[in-house]
Amino acid sequence: MTVNDAEGPPLLPATAMAGRDEPVDRILATAYELFSRRGIRGVGVNELISSSGVSKATFYRHFPSKDALVLAFLELRDQVWTVDLIVAEASRRGNTPEERLLAVFDVFGDWFQREDFEACSFINVLLEMGAGHPLGKASIDYLSRIRGHIQALAEEAGLDRPEEFARSWHILMKGSIISATEGDALASKRAQQMARWLIEHHRGL
Amino acid sequence: MTVNDAEGPPLLPATAMAGRDEPVDRILATAYELFSRRGIRGVGVNELISSSGVSKATFYRHFPSKDALVLAFLELRDQVWTVDLIVAEASRRGNTPEERLLAVFDVFGDWFQREDFEACSFINVLLEMGAGHPLGKASIDYLSRIRGHIQALAEEAGLDRPEEFARSWHILMKGSIISATEGDALASKRAQQMARWLIEHHRGL
DNA sequence: TCCGAGGCAGACCGGTCTGTACGCCTCGGT
DNA sequence: ACCGAGGCGTACAGACCGGTCTGCCTCGGA
């Protein structure tokens, strides 16, 4: 019995930070919590250090700047959210590559209904900082990694043109996230239906 | 021969502000230009007043706060972008309701390729401020108006369940915008293909 | 026992933020 | 001829920003 095991997979799995209580871990854990919920510009360094119980000097000893911490946050988000929460969970729920692909939107459905649903940090940071900013570029890179997971599943499933398939699939993922942010709790179902049609049209007929 | 008639429909049509040179118009025109490109928090009041050649007292005489100006900007964006640039242009390009629906993604294709492509301000503001913020709620409202235009076209086309159709369609619109922001210039084509399948499945068979 | 690395607390810097206030000027109506 | 509305420029308040720096304390290894 650890923290946040009440509803679905935990956002911050104990395995990632288990037992560690070093300042750098507290900073990262706090950054994950605050950045994912309120964005980058919405969280200041002073709040970060006070919330993580760390002095300012310690903060800047581990991270040369706030942007450096944001980069570390994005990488942590890739591990915790993309890999552990979405990809791994979808793979667990499906038995075949196609089922695993479609299960992504089942996982989305559960995720959308969490009261602490915070949308996709990569999209948030990309739009907040702009595509030209280093943090925006990093976000684009992590978004492409998500597409890579989809493409790998598409290849396993033997679908046609897996790269283009993944790009179309990703449109459904991102669009449904925005719709969920607007309050459409059924956005995952709508996207999943369109995803089924996409699979049909990419099957080697 | 007016301004920005070089490539496609103008972002700020002369008709909207034609001839008017009042301070409030200059403020709004500047706000449109800056907010749509750099977001809300990325533009300060000092820059707004200096760029529009207006004193600070004049600014606060017309808009009681920066948020009030943002609300006015969102409404202007609804008129200039949603109505004049997207809906009207798509209707102009298509002869039937279904063609007009699909033409939305043709307009998107042209829009995505502009070097001053700035994504969707409603999505930007929603993610920047959060769904609970008044500006976020206003953005959700303007996004629902976009869905209303789609739903109206779906009803004209006699499609099944036009409201759900519009929600799915909107997922494709928003997802393709994010993909275009990432740099995928063909996102409009991918979304349009999925949109065709969506129409097929909503036709009264 | 000592000593240095690392952590905590907080003052401080220059800059930026939204918003207020004050002084001066230029109009247009009476 | 006058007078007030409205516009311009600017100084300023109060808060917050990212980032630097100093001082004190604790702990672990030689």
Side-chain angles (χ1 to χ4, degrees), chain B residues 67-92:
Chain B
D67 281 10
L69 173 63
V70 177
L71 285 176
F73 154 68
L74 290 175
E75 182 168 342
L76 179 61
R77 179 82 181 179
D78 179 64
Q79 182 60 45
V80 170
W81 185 85
T82 305
V83 174
D84 292 346
L85 191 131
I86 302 299
V87 176
E89 178 67 14
S91 294
R92 199 186 63 78

Side-chain angles (χ1 to χ4, degrees), chain B residues 12 15 39 59 62 75 78-79 84 89 91 113 131 158 164 167 173 202 205:
Chain B
L12 252 183
T15 57
F59 176 93
H62 290 288
E75 182 168 342
D78 179 64
Q79 182 60 45
D84 292 346
E89 178 67 14
S91 294
Q113 299 208 14
E164 308 217 337
R167 288 192 178 274
M173 292 174 66
H202 275 81
L205 57 145

Side-chain angles (χ1 to χ4, degrees), chain A residues 43-45 56-57 60 65-66:
Chain A
V43 181
V45 173
K56 213 168 214 185
Y60 280 101
S65 68
K66 182 188 176 184

Side-chain angles (χ1 to χ4, degrees), chain A residues 24 29 34 40 42 61 83 87 114 117 119 134 143 149 167 174 182 186 188 193 202:
Chain A
V24 59
L34 298 181
I40 305 305
R61 184 173 304 128
V83 175
V87 176
R114 300 173 70 116
F117 168 67
L143 285 168
H149 294 294
R167 288 192 179 273
K174 290 175 283 193
E182 288 175 69
L186 288 113
S188 60
Q193 182 55 62
H202 275 81

